[in-house]
Amino acid sequence: MLITILVGSLFVNTGSVNKIEVSYTDVAYQAIYKCPGLSASKVNKRLIWKLIKIEKKYNPPNSLRGMLLAAACQESKYNPNAKGDRKFSKYREPKAIGILQFWPWANKYIDRKNPRQSAEFWMKRVVKQLDTSVRRNCKFRNIKRKWIAAWVTAIRYPKKGGRCYEKPKHYSLLKKWYRNIKKQNERR
């Protein structure tokens, strides 16, 4: 009988192997060493942990831990002085500035070159979309899907009917980091 219980418990636990819990330490490692086009020696590690602290305050689902880091990596390589989106400017001047590449309209609310203010504002915008546009337009029950819809809605121009079935480009980087974490955990 004891053998039956042990063998039975092996089958019950095998499903949980695929659903590993990703820690912020794992995500921080990926953000530092796996940000495409950026050497780990150039990454401000204190900034990474400050961004994690800000993200934690807004309590995203465990399966989206690191969403802020993925966005900051892809948008600016964690550079608070980054300038981009010149192609949208008449005189080739940068429209997007800062770690999360906010446009000039954000000057009314934050200093775009301040990483803390930018990160707080970015996360507030995502959370706000959960309560407004996503709740109104997207009929998801899955909390992860709601957060992804809020994420893409917060960073893109408003669209009639919402952006329920779209995903931000940052999300593909986050998924890549999660695959790397899973591979590392399998080797242990």
Side-chain angles (χ1 to χ4, degrees), residues 67-131:
M67 63 189 291
L68 180 59
L69 294 174
C73 168
Q74 202 154 41
E75 292 291 343
S76 67
K77 309 284 186 256
Y78 313 117
N79 180 359
N81 298 313
K83 297 178 180 180
D85 287 348
R86 294 175 195 272
K87 66 184 174 188
F88 297 106
S89 172
K90 189 174 182 180
Y91 301 107
R92 307 285 296 154
E93 292 180 12
K95 288 267 192 185
I97 293 177
I99 196 166
L100 291 161
Q101 295 289 283
F102 280 112
W103 277 38
W105 62 265
N107 283 335
K108 191 177 355 177
Y109 309 101
I110 59 168
D111 172 7
R112 296 184 289 163
K113 289 186 177 181
N114 182 319
R116 186 192 56 75
Q117 287 181 19
S118 291
E120 287 276 358
F121 187 63
W122 192 87
M123 287 302 299
K124 282 179 188 174
R125 287 180 50 80
V126 171
V127 171
K128 181 180 178 194
Q129 295 307 316
L130 282 170
D131 292 334

